[in-house]
Amino acid sequence: MKYARLRVHHDPDRLHPMHAFEMRHDDIERAALLHWNTVLDETNTMVFRVRGDPEPFRAKLDARAATVAYSLTEAVDGVFYCCVRDRVTEADRGYIDAFARGTLVVVPPVAFEPDGTTTVTLVGTPADIDAAVSELPAGLRATVESVGPYRRRAGSSTPRLTDRQREAVAVAVDCGYYDSPREGTVADVAADLDISPGTAAEHLRKAEETVMGRLVE
């Protein structure tokens, strides 16, 4: 058994409408699917963690024909949670069918990124993971960000970083970027890894988001 962390790229016509809404709206930064049930009576129930203003999200849910019921929490430090029951749409089926094969299990969270990609972690046999990556439905393609044997212990909260993110964090720790007061800079991390400061900052931001998101889950 192994795991693979994928970044799924969507053709514009295969982008989920709620993902497209989040990308367009200035007051919604990003969303992640934390929990979901199996498809029952043609509905899905899902729990999302969203960074942004809950009011535009509420208005969008009210306007959707697929929404059966929902509940939103108040935003705390810019983050709110949404539990929503939806009628299953063709867009939903496209996401579900993409990884509905053999031994595969989708391990949350599933992150809907501002650039229109989706990051998802799969666990299963090597053959089923390889098939899922190579045989995605038309309009979807995946790049593998990390892969390896699945050794996660029950109850472990160890976050999964890509190799490059882990390398950037290690350099940042060594140069004092996380010291208080701060000694190192993003430029120091970039110089050590021979990448641009913008790329170094992105690696660190993604790693921090993963670690802190896992901590509060």
Side-chain angles (χ1 to χ4, degrees), residues 127-149:
D128 282 342
I129 288 179
D130 292 344
V133 173
S134 61
E135 299 174 14
L136 283 174
L140 304 179
R141 62 181 178 84
T143 54
V144 179
E145 295 198 332
S146 61
V147 64

Side-chain angles (χ1 to χ4, degrees), residues 42-44 61 64-70 84-88:
E42 293 301 303
T43 65
N44 287 325
L61 292 175
R64 294 177 71 233
T67 304
V68 176
Y70 69 88
V84 58
R85 183 181 176 209
D86 275 355
R87 298 179 186 88
V88 178

